[in-house]
Amino acid sequence: QKEVEQNSGPLSVPEGAIASLNCTYSDRGSQSFFWYRQYSGKSPELIMSIYSNGDKEDGRFTAQLNKASQYVSLLIRDSQPSDSATYLCAVILSTYNNDMRFGAGTRLTVKP
Amino acid sequence: NAGVTQTPKFQVLKTGQSMTLQCAQDMNHNSMYWYRQDPGMGLRLIYYSASEGTTDKGEVPNGYNVSRLNKREFSLRLESAAPSQTSVYFCASKFGQGSSGANVLTFGAGSRLTVL
């Protein structure tokens, strides 16, 4: 079992809709979670980090963390065509504080 | 401010050849990483260096070696390249640990390696 699992998609939503991206992780002791966005042919860039259970909002993005269920999600409200990218979930493993693992990524397409 | 610089951006090797990917950061970060990215597999950690003088294996270290030359530089070496090592390689760095921006990775532009 991989440490971080994501649905590979692709996920397609119409412009203006809510996109929901999900991630599960296997290390129950993990404390630090991240969502990165990667445009085709580019490097990943950070969207959100979350460390506590509950929701964290930043503009149109909301990250949700449920440590009991080992589940992290990212909601994108009012989706725009410019949000079309691959979204990568990342987790720092508890065993070694600097071991950061990524999921396979979910490809999102927002259709005008 | 250059951030994380990787060289080369593109490289074609023949099976059995060796090469070194170079990475340097100018952000005074303590931790540095090498990932590879293959279609449908996300980023897989090859090796990382939590601080100058230390290196640790990630999930796919076989066939690779690393050197943390100093705080700024972290190189990845393929001693005998194989077609299975055809991939895009990303170097990344972060300042440190804890529930803060210190944990955010900054990535280089990537190095596309093809092994024939």
Side-chain angles (χ1 to χ4, degrees):
Chain A
Q1 180 187 6
K2 280 184 64 68
E3 286 85 0
V4 185
E5 301 271 9
Q6 292 181 254
N7 290 329
S8 60
L11 174 65
S12 181
V13 300
E15 184 175 356
I18 296 175
S20 178
L21 305 163
N22 304 315
C23 172
T24 58
Y25 59 95
S26 61
D27 181 359
R28 184 168 289 278
S30 293
Q31 300 293 324
S32 304
F33 309 89
F34 309 85
W35 283 100
Y36 285 79
R37 176 177 62 199
Q38 186 177 26
Y39 292 113
S40 181
K42 301 296 185 182
S43 305
E45 55 181 352
L46 181 76
I47 299 175
M48 299 276 290
S49 60
I50 187 166
Y51 302 97
S52 303
N53 278 330
D55 295 358
K56 179 181 178 182
E57 187 174 318
D58 184 359
R60 296 186 296 111
F61 299 94
T62 298
Q64 299 174 318
L65 173 61
N66 183 327
K67 292 182 181 179
S69 300
Q70 296 175 240
Y71 177 90
V72 190
S73 66
L74 179 70
L75 300 177
I76 306 174
R77 291 182 301 279
D78 188 23
S79 295
Q80 301 297 309
S82 59
D83 294 326
S84 297
T86 296
Y87 290 81
L88 298 160
C89 175
V91 176
I92 295 182
L93 300 185
S94 63
T95 308
Y96 302 102
N97 271 332
N98 287 285
D99 191 335
M100 185 178 289
R101 302 292 177 97
F102 284 78
T106 299
R107 185 171 180 83
L108 171 67
T109 300
V110 180
K111 296 185 175 180
Chain B
N1 189 349
V4 179
T5 303
Q6 291 181 232
T7 55
K9 292 192 185 311
F10 301 93
Q11 184 72 48
V12 179
L13 291 175
K14 294 181 180 178
T15 297
Q17 289 185 319
S18 62
M19 77 157 298
T20 299
L21 296 174
Q22 306 284 357
C23 177
Q25 52 88 13
D26 61 1
M27 297 171 287
N28 199 34
H29 283 175
N30 294 299
S31 303
M32 299 186 72
Y33 299 77
W34 278 105
Y35 291 91
R36 61 177 289 175
Q37 187 170 39
D38 303 295
M41 301 192 73
L43 290 163
R44 291 187 292 170
L45 182 62
I46 305 172
Y47 271 94
Y48 67 99
S49 171
S51 60
E52 187 178 357
T54 69
T55 60
D56 287 285
K57 295 179 180 179
E59 57 187 309
V60 289
N62 291 342
Y64 304 95
N65 286 302
V66 290
S67 296
R68 183 74 183 265
L69 304 170
N70 48 55
K71 189 172 185 177
R72 291 186 64 248
E73 299 173 286
F74 188 40
S75 63
L76 178 71
R77 182 161 179 84
L78 287 70
E79 291 290 351
S80 179
S84 61
Q85 294 178 303
T86 294
S87 189
V88 178
Y89 291 84
F90 285 100
C91 178
S93 69
K94 68 181 179 76
F95 184 74
Q97 305 176 23
S99 300
S100 70
N103 263 326
V104 175
L105 284 177
T106 299
F107 284 85
S111 299
R112 184 174 294 274
L113 175 65
T114 301
V115 183
L116 303 176

